[in-house]
Amino acid sequence: MTSFLADVLITAGKLEKVNLHEKISEIQKEITKLKYDVKNFMDDNYVEFTSKLTRDQHLVLKGEKLLEEMNALQKRIDNHVKIELSGSTKELKTLSQALKESNIMLQLSNQLLNLHECIKSIKNYQEEKLYVKVAKTLCHMQTTLYNSQTDLRDLDIYTAIEEEYLNLYTSFLSDTSLLLHERICWIGIDDQNAKAVTLSIKNEFDDIQDLIQSLHYIDNLSNYLHKFSMTLMDYIINPIINDDCSVYVIDEKVFTVEIFKKKKSPGYKSEPLEFLEDIDDYNEIKVNKKINDNTFQLPKCQISKNAKEILDLARNILDEACCSSDTCAIQLFYTCRNFFEMYAGLVPEHHRKFLETIPQQVAMFHNNCMYLAHHLLTLGFEYKDKLPKSLQNLNLTFADQVLVLRDVGSSCFLEHMKYQRNIIFDILKESGLSALGQTSELHPNTERAMRQCNRQLELLKTVWLDVLPENIYCRAVGCIMNSMIEDLIIRVLSVEDIPADVATELVTLFNLIVKRAPQIFPDHQKIYQYVKKWEKFLELIQILGASLKEIEIRWDSGKGPLAQEFTASQVKQLIRALFQNTERRSNLLVNIK
């Protein structure tokens, strides 16, 4: 009886495994078919841009159905592994691994379909003016595309979808900013001779809140508010506080400040000072201000071990000098000075090759010099009263070496910044941008050069961010990045003819920089502070992808955002390069002054 029951169970197990084999084989065939359907669908939509008869919704439903079957089958396999673990472990693990691989393929297919649905939804939302939904969908796309746990980056279609996302993001940001500019507009701030400045809020539009909320979702609200608050402070609040002016408010929508006379800074008058006789009154009006605890502190940074050892050795020698005779103390004191003089003179020469080519080494040397200089400011005063009395009247100080160390550290770091800048310039020289307009297509090296520039900046972030003080880091990478951006702008402005296809490709490539460059900074918004040409670069991207009408709107008779970044001659040059000679182009060129 026992033998019969065992045979029955074994037979049942074999049937179950056969059933699993058949089921997995069927699902693998379905997934393979779905994979090719999705690939063809995405290629048609984002690579070849051809029409596709198969409905994308059908693919989504099919993918979801397969995913449910996969989950059910996974549970069956897991249960079967537990039952027959002793006899069929290897075979069932193979089945499980095959199922996991199929599951990954299915997940990638579903992610691609999800991205396509997002792109389609964004375009629909834009037509319906649902700005918040557009912003949320863009955030969802960003999360999916840049998720480190997904294998989407390994797909050939990834680059095309990323470019589509960047185009949608840039276009939406530009449109949203332009709409806000129309609804919250300034009059008179661009005219230096204007005596009145008006802030007009057109609240007949009911989408202002949605536009502001959209900027928040795409992480650009702080930049907009910063610009607005600075303008408000300069043209409304400061004149009200400091100048003779009148303020007019109409229906709480139009605010006008008319300045009659700007007050001059008060001069000094030769009048005798009246001293308070009552000391209690003086104490009442005296303001007690405490210095911040971080004042005169060295900013947080990394230094090398030998810099600390040199300073510790100097302190040990000075401690010994305090207990020595006058002659010996003098010799020990100047021995300490020689340490720092030799450090400033020998290290840059001995390690010249490293300091010229290795960014981490030069950053560390810069910090070492600043660290030693910081302590030398007060080192002499610390020991002045401890040295033998006959030496206390002498001017024994290290303060004169502070400037030497700072100058050496700064000079080496600045030279290395030039070296890094030249690396990027060399990359751009080989990018093919100098041949813009000579062919109907962008040079094949251009995209590779843009990515190399991004990687070079990301390398500097890796080796500098945790080493340098944050403000020094931001200024350094900001300066290098600004040189790169300025070079790109100059190269585009110097071209006499830019074909439409080339302009479109440039927009796509430049958007890669727009997406990745802010990530170089600890706070992404700091790129506006440290990269002076950043807003000009963003405006250049807008021009390259804009129509004549859009350029006219952005110029806005010399008052729009385009006029803030480019001169009239530069805008005319770009228009001539981008558009054919038509009557409409001629009229626009005449109006740009």
Side-chain angles (χ1 to χ4, degrees):
M1 182 67 180
T2 304
S3 176
F4 173 73
L5 181 59
D7 292 340
V8 170
L9 291 174
I10 291 172
T11 303
K14 290 180 179 178
L15 290 174
E16 177 68 12
K17 284 188 284 186
V18 170
N19 189 16
L20 288 175
H21 274 296
E22 293 175 353
K23 192 65 176 177
I24 288 178
S25 178
E26 291 176 5
I27 289 182
Q28 283 180 331
K29 290 179 181 178
E30 290 293 326
I31 289 175
T32 302
K33 185 175 181 300
L34 176 64
K35 181 178 73 173
Y36 284 111
D37 288 345
V38 171
K39 180 182 182 301
N40 293 334
F41 178 78
M42 300 302 282
D43 285 342
D44 290 342
N45 278 276
Y46 302 107
V47 179
E48 299 174 2
F49 301 100
T50 60
S51 60
K52 184 71 177 174
L53 297 178
T54 305
R55 292 179 58 83
D56 53 344
Q57 189 63 32
H58 170 70
L59 292 175
V60 174
L61 295 175
K62 189 174 180 180
E64 292 175 351
K65 183 178 179 181
L66 281 173
L67 194 58
E68 291 176 0
E69 292 185 16
M70 291 287 293
N71 291 333
L73 192 57
Q74 180 71 56
K75 291 180 180 178
R76 289 178 60 189
I77 289 179
D78 290 341
N79 293 333
H80 202 68
V81 169
K82 293 177 182 177
I83 295 172
E84 295 196 1
L85 186 61
S86 59
S88 305
T89 301
K90 184 176 181 180
E91 184 178 0
L92 290 175
K93 281 186 177 180
T94 303
L95 291 174
S96 182
Q97 182 63 31
L99 188 63
K100 288 180 180 178
E101 292 175 359
S102 300
N103 195 25
I104 292 173
M105 293 166 56
L106 183 58
Q107 288 177 357
L108 289 175
S109 299
N110 279 326
Q111 287 174 357
L112 288 175
L113 291 172
N114 180 260
L115 288 170
H116 169 70
E117 286 294 315
C118 288
I119 293 172
K120 192 169 68 172
S121 299
I122 287 172
K123 294 177 180 178
N124 292 335
Y125 291 150
Q126 286 178 326
E127 292 177 359
E128 298 172 9
K129 298 183 179 180
L130 301 175
Y131 306 113
V132 176
K133 289 187 176 181
V134 173
K136 288 182 177 180
T137 309
L138 284 170
C139 290
H140 178 68
M141 283 192 69
Q142 181 184 14
T143 303
T144 304
L145 281 170
Y146 300 106
N147 184 359
S148 59
Q149 298 180 351
T150 184
D151 296 323
L152 274 175
R153 291 178 180 270
D154 298 331
L155 302 179
D156 294 336
I157 193 69
Y158 178 82
T159 302
I161 297 178
E162 183 185 34
E163 291 174 357
E164 180 72 14
Y165 161 72
L166 292 173
N167 288 335
L168 289 171
Y169 176 88
T170 307
S171 174
F172 178 68
L173 178 59
S174 173
D175 293 343
T176 305
S177 301
L178 191 60
L179 289 171
L180 276 175
H181 180 71
E182 294 173 355
R183 287 151 177 72
I184 304 175
C185 57
W186 294 89
I187 301 173
I189 63 174
D190 297 316
D191 186 358
Q192 296 181 351
N193 298 321
K195 294 185 178 180
V197 173
T198 300
L199 170 61
S200 177
I201 302 174
K202 301 176 181 178
N203 56 6
E204 61 267 20
F205 296 99
D206 57 358
D207 57 0
I208 295 180
Q209 182 177 348
D210 289 344
L211 291 170
I212 293 175
Q213 195 172 357
S214 300
L215 288 179
H216 167 70
Y217 279 117
I218 61 176
D219 199 24
N220 204 265
L221 180 60
S222 58
N223 177 50
Y224 175 81
L225 291 178
H226 174 72
K227 291 182 180 178
F228 178 79
S229 60
M230 293 300 294
T231 308
L232 185 69
M233 181 65 71
D234 292 340
Y235 294 98
I236 300 292
I237 297 177
N238 281 341
I240 292 175
I241 295 174
N242 299 320
D243 301 328
D244 293 331
C245 62
S246 293
V247 181
Y248 307 96
V249 181
I250 303 175
D251 297 333
E252 297 184 355
K253 294 189 294 184
V254 180
F255 303 85
T256 301
V257 175
E258 184 178 1
I259 301 174
F260 301 116
K261 183 180 180 182
K262 287 192 174 183
K263 291 184 179 179
K264 297 181 179 179
S265 301
Y268 293 101
K269 295 182 179 180
S270 177
E271 296 181 355
L273 296 175
E274 296 182 3
F275 293 93
L276 295 172
E277 296 181 359
D278 192 342
I279 193 66
D280 294 330
D281 293 339
Y282 171 75
N283 289 332
E284 288 179 5
I285 66 171
K286 183 173 66 174
V287 178
N288 292 321
K289 293 185 178 179
K290 293 184 178 180
I291 296 177
N292 190 288
D293 292 337
N294 293 326
T295 304
F296 305 123
Q297 295 292 320
L298 186 70
K300 182 181 178 181
C301 63
Q302 291 184 13
I303 61 171
S304 58
K305 184 179 179 181
N306 61 40
K308 187 176 185 307
E309 289 175 347
I310 289 174
L311 187 62
D312 290 341
L313 179 59
R315 291 184 182 278
N316 291 336
I317 292 175
L318 289 175
D319 288 336
E320 185 177 347
C322 295
C323 305
S324 302
S325 62
D326 294 353
T327 303
C328 186
I330 286 288
Q331 291 178 346
L332 290 173
F333 174 79
Y334 281 103
T335 299
C336 282
R337 284 182 56 89
N338 290 339
F339 285 168
F340 303 110
E341 288 179 3
M342 293 177 68
Y343 186 86
L346 293 180
V347 172
E349 292 298 325
H350 184 70
H351 297 290
R352 176 179 296 276
K353 194 65 178 178
F354 289 131
L355 296 178
E356 287 178 350
T357 57
I358 302 178
Q360 189 171 13
Q361 290 289 335
V362 73
M364 198 72 75
F365 177 69
H366 168 272
N367 292 349
N368 290 346
C369 290
M370 298 303 163
Y371 170 78
L372 294 175
H374 178 78
H375 285 279
L376 289 184
L377 279 171
T378 57
L379 189 61
F381 294 100
E382 289 180 31
Y383 286 91
K384 183 177 181 180
D385 296 333
K386 299 178 182 178
L387 291 169
K389 291 184 178 181
S390 59
L391 302 180
Q392 291 180 6
N393 295 327
L394 301 178
N395 187 22
L396 302 179
T397 180
F398 295 91
D400 58 311
Q401 294 181 326
V402 171
L403 292 178
V404 176
L405 283 166
R406 286 178 176 174
D407 183 61
V408 169
S410 299
S411 298
C412 287
F413 191 68
L414 287 173
E415 285 299 317
H416 188 80
M417 284 176 58
K418 292 178 183 178
Y419 171 77
Q420 292 293 338
R421 182 195 62 184
N422 291 336
I423 289 177
I424 290 180
F425 283 169
D426 291 339
I427 294 172
L428 293 178
K429 285 178 183 177
E430 303 298 326
S431 65
L433 287 174
S434 57
L436 273 179
Q438 298 179 10
T439 59
S440 59
E441 295 181 352
L442 204 59
H443 196 281
N445 289 339
T446 306
E447 180 178 358
R448 181 168 58 85
M450 296 297 103
R451 295 186 183 277
Q452 278 185 318
C453 289
N454 281 329
R455 283 195 293 270
Q456 188 66 24
L457 291 170
E458 288 166 356
L459 170 65
L460 293 179
K461 176 185 177 181
T462 302
V463 297
W464 278 357
L465 181 58
D466 296 327
V467 176
L468 290 168
E470 183 175 315
N471 65 322
I472 299 296
Y473 166 79
C474 290
R475 288 166 59 187
V477 295
C479 180
I480 296 171
M481 188 183 298
N482 191 68
S483 298
M484 179 187 79
I485 296 297
E486 188 173 18
D487 189 74
L488 289 173
I489 294 172
I490 291 173
R491 289 178 184 275
V492 175
L493 287 176
S494 63
V495 180
E496 295 183 356
D497 180 35
I498 304 176
D501 291 342
V502 173
T504 302
E505 292 182 64
L506 283 175
V507 170
T508 301
L509 291 181
F510 288 170
N511 277 331
L512 290 176
I513 297 176
V514 171
K515 194 62 187 176
R516 293 171 63 177
Q519 299 174 13
I520 303 297
F521 295 88
D523 179 1
H524 296 179
Q525 295 300 320
K526 286 191 175 182
I527 193 170
Y528 292 93
Q529 177 182 352
Y530 291 101
V531 183
K532 304 303 180 184
K533 300 293 183 180
W534 183 247
E535 293 192 48
K536 188 171 185 176
F537 182 62
L538 295 179
E539 203 61 40
L540 175 64
I541 297 174
Q542 295 298 324
I543 298 177
L544 291 173
S547 63
L548 286 171
K549 181 63 176 177
E550 290 170 335
I551 293 176
E552 183 178 10
I553 293 173
R554 297 192 73 81
W555 179 256
D556 192 18
S557 302
K559 300 177 182 179
L562 179 57
Q564 302 298 321
E565 304 299 336
F566 289 93
T567 63
S569 60
Q570 289 174 333
V571 175
K572 288 180 178 180
Q573 170 64 24
L574 284 170
I575 292 174
R576 293 190 184 101
L578 290 167
F579 300 96
Q580 295 181 349
N581 189 8
T582 61
E583 182 179 355
R584 187 172 183 180
R585 190 189 84 165
S586 301
N587 293 335
L588 179 57
L589 290 174
V590 171
N591 292 331
I592 294 178
K593 301 176 182 178

